[in-house]
Short mmCIF file of all heavy atoms in Angstrom, two decimals:
data_model
loop_
_atom_site.label_atom_id
_atom_site.label_comp_id
_atom_site.label_asym_id
_atom_site.label_seq_id
_atom_site.Cartn_x
_atom_site.Cartn_y
_atom_site.Cartn_z
N VAL D 924 23.39 32.80 40.12
CA VAL D 924 24.40 31.85 39.67
C VAL D 924 24.90 32.33 38.31
O VAL D 924 24.10 32.57 37.41
CB VAL D 924 23.81 30.42 39.56
CG1 VAL D 924 24.83 29.46 38.99
CG2 VAL D 924 23.31 29.97 40.92
N PRO D 925 26.23 32.49 38.13
CA PRO D 925 26.73 33.09 36.91
C PRO D 925 26.78 32.16 35.70
O PRO D 925 27.05 32.62 34.60
CB PRO D 925 28.14 33.52 37.29
CG PRO D 925 28.53 32.57 38.37
CD PRO D 925 27.26 32.28 39.12
N TYR D 926 26.52 30.89 35.87
CA TYR D 926 26.63 29.94 34.76
C TYR D 926 25.31 29.23 34.50
O TYR D 926 24.57 28.93 35.44
CB TYR D 926 27.66 28.85 35.06
CG TYR D 926 29.07 29.36 35.15
CD1 TYR D 926 29.66 29.57 36.38
CD2 TYR D 926 29.81 29.61 34.00
CE1 TYR D 926 30.96 30.02 36.47
CE2 TYR D 926 31.11 30.07 34.09
CZ TYR D 926 31.68 30.27 35.32
OH TYR D 926 32.96 30.73 35.40
N MET D 927 25.06 28.95 33.23
CA MET D 927 23.97 28.06 32.86
C MET D 927 24.57 27.02 31.92
O MET D 927 25.29 27.37 30.97
CB MET D 927 22.86 28.81 32.13
CG MET D 927 21.73 27.88 31.72
SD MET D 927 20.26 28.71 31.07
CE MET D 927 20.88 29.45 29.58
N LEU D 928 24.34 25.74 32.21
CA LEU D 928 24.87 24.66 31.39
C LEU D 928 23.73 24.00 30.64
O LEU D 928 22.67 23.76 31.19
CB LEU D 928 25.57 23.62 32.26
CG LEU D 928 26.70 24.12 33.14
CD1 LEU D 928 27.27 22.98 33.95
CD2 LEU D 928 27.78 24.78 32.32
N VAL D 929 24.00 23.72 29.37
CA VAL D 929 23.03 23.01 28.54
C VAL D 929 23.68 21.70 28.11
O VAL D 929 24.78 21.71 27.55
CB VAL D 929 22.64 23.84 27.30
CG1 VAL D 929 21.66 23.07 26.43
CG2 VAL D 929 22.05 25.18 27.73
N ILE D 930 23.00 20.61 28.40
CA ILE D 930 23.52 19.29 28.03
C ILE D 930 22.46 18.58 27.23
O ILE D 930 21.50 18.06 27.77
CB ILE D 930 23.90 18.46 29.28
CG1 ILE D 930 24.86 19.25 30.15
CG2 ILE D 930 24.50 17.12 28.86
CD1 ILE D 930 25.11 18.64 31.50
N GLY D 931 22.64 18.59 25.93
CA GLY D 931 21.74 17.89 25.03
C GLY D 931 22.35 16.57 24.59
O GLY D 931 23.39 16.15 25.10
N GLU D 932 21.74 15.95 23.64
CA GLU D 932 22.22 14.66 23.16
C GLU D 932 23.63 14.78 22.58
O GLU D 932 24.49 13.94 22.85
CB GLU D 932 21.26 14.12 22.09
CG GLU D 932 21.57 12.71 21.66
CD GLU D 932 20.51 12.17 20.70
OE1 GLU D 932 19.32 12.41 20.95
OE2 GLU D 932 20.92 11.52 19.73
N LYS D 933 23.88 15.82 21.81
CA LYS D 933 25.20 16.03 21.18
C LYS D 933 26.29 16.22 22.24
O LYS D 933 27.36 15.62 22.16
CB LYS D 933 25.14 17.25 20.26
CG LYS D 933 26.41 17.51 19.49
CD LYS D 933 26.20 18.62 18.48
CE LYS D 933 26.61 19.94 19.08
NZ LYS D 933 26.59 21.05 18.13
N GLU D 934 25.99 17.02 23.26
CA GLU D 934 26.97 17.26 24.32
C GLU D 934 27.21 15.99 25.14
O GLU D 934 28.35 15.69 25.50
CB GLU D 934 26.51 18.40 25.25
CG GLU D 934 26.55 19.77 24.61
CD GLU D 934 25.31 20.08 23.79
OE1 GLU D 934 24.32 19.33 23.85
OE2 GLU D 934 25.34 21.09 23.07
N ALA D 935 26.15 15.26 25.42
CA ALA D 935 26.28 14.03 26.21
C ALA D 935 27.16 13.01 25.49
O ALA D 935 28.00 12.35 26.11
CB ALA D 935 24.91 13.43 26.50
N GLU D 936 27.00 12.90 24.18
CA GLU D 936 27.81 11.94 23.41
C GLU D 936 29.28 12.34 23.37
O GLU D 936 30.15 11.48 23.33
CB GLU D 936 27.27 11.84 21.99
CG GLU D 936 25.95 11.12 21.88
CD GLU D 936 25.38 11.12 20.48
OE1 GLU D 936 26.01 11.70 19.57
OE2 GLU D 936 24.27 10.57 20.30
N SER D 937 29.55 13.65 23.37
CA SER D 937 30.93 14.12 23.24
C SER D 937 31.59 14.44 24.58
O SER D 937 32.76 14.83 24.62
CB SER D 937 30.99 15.35 22.34
OG SER D 937 30.29 16.42 22.92
N GLY D 938 30.86 14.30 25.68
CA GLY D 938 31.43 14.59 27.00
C GLY D 938 31.65 16.07 27.24
O GLY D 938 32.58 16.46 27.93
N GLN D 939 30.79 16.89 26.66
CA GLN D 939 30.92 18.34 26.78
C GLN D 939 29.66 18.95 27.37
O GLN D 939 28.63 18.29 27.49
CB GLN D 939 31.19 18.97 25.41
CG GLN D 939 32.50 18.56 24.79
CD GLN D 939 32.73 19.29 23.48
OE1 GLN D 939 31.79 19.54 22.72
NE2 GLN D 939 33.97 19.62 23.21
N VAL D 940 29.77 20.22 27.74
CA VAL D 940 28.62 21.00 28.17
C VAL D 940 28.65 22.32 27.42
O VAL D 940 29.72 22.87 27.16
CB VAL D 940 28.62 21.28 29.70
CG1 VAL D 940 28.41 20.01 30.48
CG2 VAL D 940 29.90 21.95 30.14
N ALA D 941 27.49 22.81 27.03
CA ALA D 941 27.39 24.14 26.42
C ALA D 941 27.24 25.13 27.56
O ALA D 941 26.37 24.99 28.41
CB ALA D 941 26.20 24.21 25.47
N VAL D 942 28.10 26.13 27.59
CA VAL D 942 28.18 27.05 28.72
C VAL D 942 27.69 28.44 28.31
O VAL D 942 28.09 28.96 27.27
CB VAL D 942 29.62 27.16 29.26
CG1 VAL D 942 29.68 28.11 30.44
CG2 VAL D 942 30.17 25.79 29.64
N ARG D 943 26.84 29.00 29.15
CA ARG D 943 26.44 30.40 29.01
C ARG D 943 26.75 31.07 30.33
O ARG D 943 26.42 30.55 31.39
CB ARG D 943 24.95 30.51 28.69
CG ARG D 943 24.61 29.95 27.36
CD ARG D 943 23.14 30.10 27.06
NE ARG D 943 22.84 29.38 25.82
CZ ARG D 943 21.72 28.76 25.57
NH1 ARG D 943 20.75 28.76 26.46
NH2 ARG D 943 21.54 28.14 24.43
N ARG D 944 27.41 32.20 30.25
CA ARG D 944 27.77 32.93 31.46
C ARG D 944 27.00 34.25 31.50
O ARG D 944 26.88 34.92 30.47
CB ARG D 944 29.27 33.17 31.47
CG ARG D 944 29.76 33.68 32.78
CD ARG D 944 31.25 33.56 32.89
NE ARG D 944 31.71 34.55 33.83
CZ ARG D 944 32.94 34.70 34.20
NH1 ARG D 944 33.87 33.92 33.69
NH2 ARG D 944 33.29 35.61 35.05
N ARG D 945 26.51 34.59 32.65
CA ARG D 945 25.66 35.77 32.81
C ARG D 945 26.29 37.03 32.23
O ARG D 945 25.64 37.80 31.55
CB ARG D 945 25.33 35.98 34.29
CG ARG D 945 24.35 37.10 34.55
CD ARG D 945 24.02 37.24 36.02
NE ARG D 945 25.23 37.53 36.77
CZ ARG D 945 25.55 36.98 37.94
NH1 ARG D 945 24.75 36.11 38.49
NH2 ARG D 945 26.66 37.28 38.55
N ASP D 946 27.58 37.24 32.45
CA ASP D 946 28.21 38.47 32.00
C ASP D 946 28.88 38.37 30.63
O ASP D 946 29.19 39.39 30.02
CB ASP D 946 29.24 38.95 33.03
CG ASP D 946 30.33 37.93 33.30
OD1 ASP D 946 30.17 36.75 32.91
OD2 ASP D 946 31.35 38.29 33.92
N LYS D 947 29.10 37.16 30.11
CA LYS D 947 29.80 36.99 28.84
C LYS D 947 28.96 36.34 27.76
O LYS D 947 29.40 36.23 26.63
CB LYS D 947 31.07 36.17 29.05
CG LYS D 947 32.10 36.86 29.91
CD LYS D 947 33.36 36.05 30.02
CE LYS D 947 34.38 36.77 30.89
NZ LYS D 947 35.61 36.02 31.00
N GLY D 948 27.78 35.89 28.10
CA GLY D 948 26.90 35.26 27.11
C GLY D 948 27.33 33.85 26.77
O GLY D 948 27.97 33.16 27.57
N ASP D 949 27.01 33.43 25.55
CA ASP D 949 27.28 32.06 25.11
C ASP D 949 28.78 31.85 24.94
O ASP D 949 29.44 32.57 24.20
CB ASP D 949 26.56 31.80 23.79
CG ASP D 949 26.63 30.35 23.36
OD1 ASP D 949 27.14 29.51 24.13
OD2 ASP D 949 26.15 30.06 22.25
N MET D 950 29.32 30.87 25.64
CA MET D 950 30.75 30.58 25.58
C MET D 950 31.03 29.31 24.77
O MET D 950 32.17 28.89 24.67
CB MET D 950 31.32 30.46 27.00
CG MET D 950 31.18 31.74 27.79
SD MET D 950 31.74 31.60 29.48
CE MET D 950 33.47 31.32 29.25
N GLY D 951 29.99 28.70 24.23
CA GLY D 951 30.17 27.51 23.41
C GLY D 951 30.32 26.24 24.24
O GLY D 951 30.19 26.25 25.46
N ALA D 952 30.63 25.15 23.55
CA ALA D 952 30.77 23.85 24.20
C ALA D 952 32.21 23.65 24.66
O ALA D 952 33.15 23.97 23.94
CB ALA D 952 30.36 22.74 23.25
N VAL D 953 32.36 23.14 25.87
CA VAL D 953 33.67 22.83 26.43
C VAL D 953 33.60 21.47 27.12
O VAL D 953 32.53 21.02 27.53
CB VAL D 953 34.17 23.90 27.44
CG1 VAL D 953 34.34 25.24 26.78
CG2 VAL D 953 33.24 24.01 28.61
N ALA D 954 34.74 20.84 27.28
CA ALA D 954 34.81 19.57 27.99
C ALA D 954 34.43 19.79 29.45
O ALA D 954 34.68 20.85 30.02
CB ALA D 954 36.21 18.99 27.90
N VAL D 955 33.81 18.79 30.04
CA VAL D 955 33.36 18.88 31.43
C VAL D 955 34.54 19.20 32.35
O VAL D 955 34.43 20.09 33.22
CB VAL D 955 32.65 17.58 31.88
CG1 VAL D 955 32.32 17.63 33.36
CG2 VAL D 955 31.40 17.35 31.04
N ASP D 956 35.65 18.52 32.19
CA ASP D 956 36.83 18.76 33.04
C ASP D 956 37.33 20.20 32.90
O ASP D 956 37.73 20.82 33.88
CB ASP D 956 37.96 17.79 32.70
CG ASP D 956 37.61 16.36 33.07
OD1 ASP D 956 36.75 16.16 33.95
OD2 ASP D 956 38.21 15.44 32.48
N GLU D 957 37.31 20.72 31.69
CA GLU D 957 37.74 22.10 31.45
C GLU D 957 36.81 23.09 32.16
O GLU D 957 37.26 24.05 32.77
CB GLU D 957 37.76 22.39 29.95
CG GLU D 957 38.25 23.76 29.59
CD GLU D 957 38.24 24.00 28.09
OE1 GLU D 957 38.27 23.02 27.32
OE2 GLU D 957 38.20 25.17 27.70
N PHE D 958 35.51 22.83 32.10
CA PHE D 958 34.55 23.69 32.79
C PHE D 958 34.78 23.67 34.29
O PHE D 958 34.77 24.71 34.95
CB PHE D 958 33.12 23.30 32.46
CG PHE D 958 32.11 24.09 33.24
CD1 PHE D 958 31.89 25.42 32.96
CD2 PHE D 958 31.43 23.51 34.30
CE1 PHE D 958 30.98 26.17 33.71
CE2 PHE D 958 30.52 24.24 35.04
CZ PHE D 958 30.30 25.58 34.75
N ILE D 959 35.00 22.49 34.84
CA ILE D 959 35.24 22.37 36.28
C ILE D 959 36.47 23.17 36.68
O ILE D 959 36.46 23.89 37.69
CB ILE D 959 35.38 20.89 36.69
CG1 ILE D 959 34.03 20.19 36.55
CG2 ILE D 959 35.91 20.75 38.12
CD1 ILE D 959 34.09 18.68 36.69
N GLN D 960 37.54 23.08 35.91
CA GLN D 960 38.75 23.83 36.21
C GLN D 960 38.50 25.34 36.14
O GLN D 960 39.02 26.10 36.96
CB GLN D 960 39.88 23.44 35.26
CG GLN D 960 40.37 22.02 35.47
CD GLN D 960 40.84 21.77 36.89
OE1 GLN D 960 41.53 22.58 37.49
NE2 GLN D 960 40.42 20.65 37.45
N THR D 961 37.70 25.77 35.18
CA THR D 961 37.36 27.19 35.05
C THR D 961 36.61 27.68 36.29
O THR D 961 36.92 28.74 36.83
CB THR D 961 36.50 27.43 33.79
OG1 THR D 961 37.23 27.01 32.65
CG2 THR D 961 36.10 28.89 33.66
N VAL D 962 35.63 26.91 36.73
CA VAL D 962 34.85 27.30 37.91
C VAL D 962 35.73 27.31 39.16
O VAL D 962 35.66 28.24 39.97
CB VAL D 962 33.63 26.37 38.11
CG1 VAL D 962 32.95 26.64 39.43
CG2 VAL D 962 32.66 26.54 36.96
N LEU D 963 36.58 26.32 39.31
CA LEU D 963 37.47 26.29 40.47
C LEU D 963 38.42 27.49 40.48
O LEU D 963 38.69 28.09 41.52
CB LEU D 963 38.27 24.98 40.49
CG LEU D 963 37.44 23.72 40.82
CD1 LEU D 963 38.31 22.47 40.68
CD2 LEU D 963 36.83 23.81 42.20
N ALA D 964 38.92 27.88 39.30
CA ALA D 964 39.79 29.05 39.20
C ALA D 964 39.01 30.32 39.54
O ALA D 964 39.53 31.20 40.23
CB ALA D 964 40.38 29.15 37.80
N ASP D 965 37.77 30.42 39.07
CA ASP D 965 36.94 31.59 39.39
C ASP D 965 36.68 31.68 40.90
O ASP D 965 36.71 32.76 41.48
CB ASP D 965 35.60 31.52 38.67
CG ASP D 965 35.72 31.84 37.19
OD1 ASP D 965 36.77 32.36 36.76
OD2 ASP D 965 34.74 31.57 36.46
N ILE D 966 36.44 30.54 41.52
CA ILE D 966 36.21 30.53 42.97
C ILE D 966 37.48 30.96 43.71
O ILE D 966 37.43 31.77 44.64
CB ILE D 966 35.74 29.14 43.44
CG1 ILE D 966 34.35 28.85 42.90
CG2 ILE D 966 35.77 29.03 44.96
CD1 ILE D 966 33.89 27.43 43.07
N ALA D 967 38.63 30.42 43.28
CA ALA D 967 39.89 30.77 43.94
C ALA D 967 40.22 32.25 43.79
O ALA D 967 40.72 32.88 44.72
CB ALA D 967 41.02 29.92 43.38
N ASP D 968 39.92 32.80 42.60
CA ASP D 968 40.20 34.21 42.34
C ASP D 968 39.07 35.11 42.83
O ASP D 968 39.22 36.34 42.83
CB ASP D 968 40.37 34.45 40.83
CG ASP D 968 41.58 33.74 40.27
OD1 ASP D 968 42.49 33.38 41.05
OD2 ASP D 968 41.63 33.56 39.04
N LYS D 969 37.95 34.50 43.20
CA LYS D 969 36.75 35.23 43.62
C LYS D 969 36.33 36.26 42.57
O LYS D 969 35.92 37.36 42.88
CB LYS D 969 36.96 35.88 44.97
CG LYS D 969 37.19 34.89 46.08
CD LYS D 969 37.33 35.56 47.40
CE LYS D 969 37.60 34.46 48.43
NZ LYS D 969 37.76 34.98 49.77
#
């Protein structure tokens, strides 16, 4: 699986997830909706 999500207290309060990607490393915190759109685009583009 190319993604690892970290959801701590800070992320839960702000509606974000901290994203780490296998090939790009730490990508920082992003909004949940933004992450979902990124994954859907990756799936569509394969």
Side-chain angles (χ1 to χ4, degrees):
V924 175
Y926 293 101
M927 179 171 65
L928 303 179
V929 178
I930 306 170
E932 188 175 317
K933 184 172 93 173
E934 290 84 10
E936 289 175 0
S937 64
Q939 296 183 324
V940 292
V942 181
R943 294 181 187 146
R944 191 165 155 178
R945 185 178 60 223
D946 59 346
K947 295 183 180 181
D949 188 6
M950 298 177 65
V953 297
V955 174
D956 292 337
E957 182 180 338
F958 175 72
I959 291 170
Q960 292 303 316
T961 300
V962 171
L963 290 175
D965 286 346
I966 292 169
D968 295 340
K969 296 183 182 180

